[in-house]
């Protein structure tokens, strides 16, 4: 019975791996549900602040905020959101591919790119390709807090104000459904709000204390809320992608075990047949 | 309800309140403001404090907020509440910290931006995945 024992050991080891992937699948499934809840919980704020910004865009303040003004693009900023951990299928790779396509066009024109990364995977990737990473945050966890977003976003916003970058883009994964995650590029700055159709007439707010201060804090929060949403959505994407990846790993392990079992049975049967024929042969000889 | 105003109070992490009220009191930076229906458009940052809603019949609702932004349209009051404690110097400190982390992480980086190389790597990775899928189907 040559190899019988080895095959048994192999089956046991695949079974162990299968147990791990099955457990990871279940963990990812329950975390995904929580992440989805959080994603839905953040939507009202994002909608309201988008409404307010579109109201502001249709108002007529004497002060035009720099975040609302287009200017020729010489340098760009990029915010890339990735996961901290792997084993989530092609989620990060797809996002990086999209990011490369996007910045590749700019790079061809000789436009300098500054990158802010969320998550260790993005940091590792942009470091490896030699991009200029100006700020990073990782280990955000499964329940991201907005406090962790403020710092890195601030870095790019203040370089925008100083004229060191002329546009800021966000690259993140959009949660379409459990099976599909779509990497998307969003332009953050200059802000391009949809003007509110009902507010066509000439009007303006009362700004307290003054329009500059109000618009500063409003637009800053608006951009942060977009990034925050991206981060929260990415957690949901990560969990969904991991769930699918682990599910297929578990299925693969099952297939493998079946195959190995078949080989083992064949091997065993061959052994038995051989023994019987030996006995029969021996008896005939006597 | 003709003499009520729609009020939405939201924070970045959740929706706090949405409904109608007769009167809204909010702690604006210049002092507390009271908003009645058909108030002229107003926008102002908020101090940490209490947002108070007059629900009619002497009933009131209170919400504590740690700052944020108040927007008033004639039929709509939106309170965008902050969940994080905000101040310019705090934000700046967070920004500097994020920058330092990136610098530390990039300390051993030598190469220049090489998009062509990275693209080639990704193509190779995608081809690998394709090959594995094909092998699996056999």
């Amino acid at each position: 019975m040559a190899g019988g024992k080895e095959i048994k050991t192999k089956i046991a080891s695949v079974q162990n791996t299968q147990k791990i992937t099955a457990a990871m699948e279940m963990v990812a499934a329950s975390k995904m549900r929580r992440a989805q809840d959080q994603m839905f919980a953040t939507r009202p704020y994002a909608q309201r602040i988008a409404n307010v910004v579109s109201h502001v865009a249709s108002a007529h303040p004497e002060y035009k905020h720099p975040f609302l003004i287009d200017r020729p693009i010489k340098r760009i900023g990029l915010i890339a959101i990735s996961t901290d951990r792997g084993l989530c299928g092609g989620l990060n790779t797809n996002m990086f591919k999209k990011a490369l396509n996007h910045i590749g066009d700019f790079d061809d024109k000789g436009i300098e790119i500054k990158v802010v990364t969320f998550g260790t995977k993005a940091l590792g990737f942009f470091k490896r390709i030699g991009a200029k990473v100006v700020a990073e945050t990782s280990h955000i966890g499964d329940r991201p807090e907005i406090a962790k977003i403020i710092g890195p976003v601030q870095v790019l916003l203040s370089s925008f104000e100083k004229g060191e970058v002329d546009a800021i883009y966000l690259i993140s994964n959009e949660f379409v459904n459990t099976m599909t995650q779509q990497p998307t590029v969003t332009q953050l700055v200059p802000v391009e709000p949809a003007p509110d159709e009902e507010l066509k007439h000439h009007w303006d707010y009362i700004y307290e204390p003054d329009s500059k201060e109000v618009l500063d804090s409003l637009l800053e929060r608006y951009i942060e809320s977009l990034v925050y949403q991206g981060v929260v959505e990415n957690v949901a994407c990560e969990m969904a992608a991991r769930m699918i990846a682990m599910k297929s790993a578990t299925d693969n392990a099952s297939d493998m075990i079946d195959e190995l079992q078949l080989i083992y049975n064949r091997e065993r049967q061959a052994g038995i047949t051989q023994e019987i024929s030996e006995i029969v042969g021996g008896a005939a000889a006597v | 309800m003709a003499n009520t105003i729609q009020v939405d109070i939201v924070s970045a992490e959740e929706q706090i309140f949405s409904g109608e009220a007769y009167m809204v009191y909010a702690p604006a930076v210049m002092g507390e403001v009271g908003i009645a229906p058909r108030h002229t458009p107003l926008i102002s940052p908020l101090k940490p404090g209490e947002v108070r809603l007059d629900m009619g019949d002497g009933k009131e609702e209170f919400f504590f907020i740690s700052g944020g932004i108040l927007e008033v349209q004639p039929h709509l009051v939106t309170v965008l509440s902050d969940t994080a404690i905000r101040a310019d110097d705090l934000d700046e400190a967070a920004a500097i910290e994020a920058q330092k982390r990136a610098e530390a992480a990039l300390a051993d980086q030598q190469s220049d931006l090489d998009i062509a190389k990275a693209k080639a790597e990704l193509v190779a990775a995608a081809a690998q995945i394709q090959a594995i899928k094909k092998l699996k189907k056999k």
Side-chain angles (χ1 to χ4, degrees), chain A residues 41-42 44-45 48-49 52 55-56 93 96-97 100-101 103-104 107 123 126-131 133-137 145-146 150-152 154-155 199 203 205-209 214 217-218 220-221 224 228 252, chain B residues 8 10-15 28-30 33 40-45 69 71-73 76 78 80-84 86 91 94-95 98-99 101-102 105-106 108-109 111-115 118-119 121-122 126 136:
Chain A
T42 59
Y45 185 88
R48 299 281 180 269
I49 198 160
V52 174
H55 290 165
V56 166
T93 318
F96 296 149
K97 228 185 271 174
L100 279 183
N101 281 339
I103 62 177
D107 194 55
L123 177 67
F126 284 105
K127 184 179 163 188
R128 211 154 40 78
I129 68 166
V133 181
V134 289
E136 72 100 14
T137 292
E145 288 163 12
I146 202 152
I150 296 169
Q154 198 72 33
V155 173
L199 298 169
W203 65 284
Y205 284 109
I206 304 172
Y207 297 93
E208 276 189 18
V214 175
S217 54
L218 176 70
E220 215 170 84
R221 277 170 180 77
E224 280 161 12
Y228 179 67
N252 287 349
Chain B
D8 291 316
V10 288
S11 81
E13 280 152 29
E14 62 189 335
Q15 170 136 4
V29 281
M30 308 282 281
V33 290
T40 183
L42 168 104
I43 189 163
S44 169
I69 293 174
E71 192 229 9
V72 180
Q73 289 285 338
L76 176 70
T78 311
L80 303 164
S81 154
D82 288 340
T83 41
R86 304 299 297 262
D91 288 2
Q99 246 166 335
R101 276 199 301 270
L106 295 183
D108 56 341
Q109 181 186 41
S111 57
D112 285 328
L113 182 60
D114 192 346
I115 287 174
K119 270 190 179 162
E121 269 177 39
L122 280 179
K136 249 188 70 189

Side-chain angles (χ1 to χ4, degrees), chain B:
Chain B
M1 292 201 280
N3 45 2
T4 58
I5 187 163
Q6 172 71 30
V7 185
D8 291 316
I9 305 179
V10 288
S11 81
E13 280 152 29
E14 62 189 335
Q15 170 136 4
I16 298 170
F17 176 87
S18 179
E20 309 249 322
Y22 285 90
M23 190 88 184
V24 184
Y25 303 91
V29 281
M30 308 282 281
E32 196 185 59
V33 290
I35 312 289
R38 271 171 263 202
H39 192 284
T40 183
L42 168 104
I43 189 163
S44 169
L46 295 174
K47 287 190 294 199
E50 207 173 54
V51 175
R52 194 151 51 88
L53 306 181
D54 184 350
M55 307 300 289
D57 300 331
K59 272 186 265 171
E60 285 188 329
E61 293 246 18
F62 298 93
F63 300 95
F64 180 79
I65 56 158
S66 55
I69 293 174
L70 169 79
E71 192 229 9
V72 180
Q73 289 285 338
H75 298 287
L76 176 70
V77 175
T78 311
V79 177
L80 303 164
S81 154
D82 288 340
T83 41
I85 297 162
R86 304 299 297 262
D88 281 346
D89 45 345
L90 274 180
D91 288 2
E92 209 187 311
I96 290 168
E97 206 183 303
Q99 246 166 335
K100 278 197 182 139
R101 276 199 301 270
E103 275 164 26
L106 295 183
D108 56 341
Q109 181 186 41
Q110 280 142 12
S111 57
D112 285 328
L113 182 60
D114 192 346
I115 287 174
K117 195 177 131 211
K119 270 190 179 162
E121 269 177 39
L122 280 179
V123 168
Q128 245 173 5
I129 292 169
Q130 284 296 326
I132 291 168
K133 272 191 189 151
K134 269 187 197 153
L135 275 176
K136 249 188 70 189
K137 275 188 191 146
K138 271 185 188 167

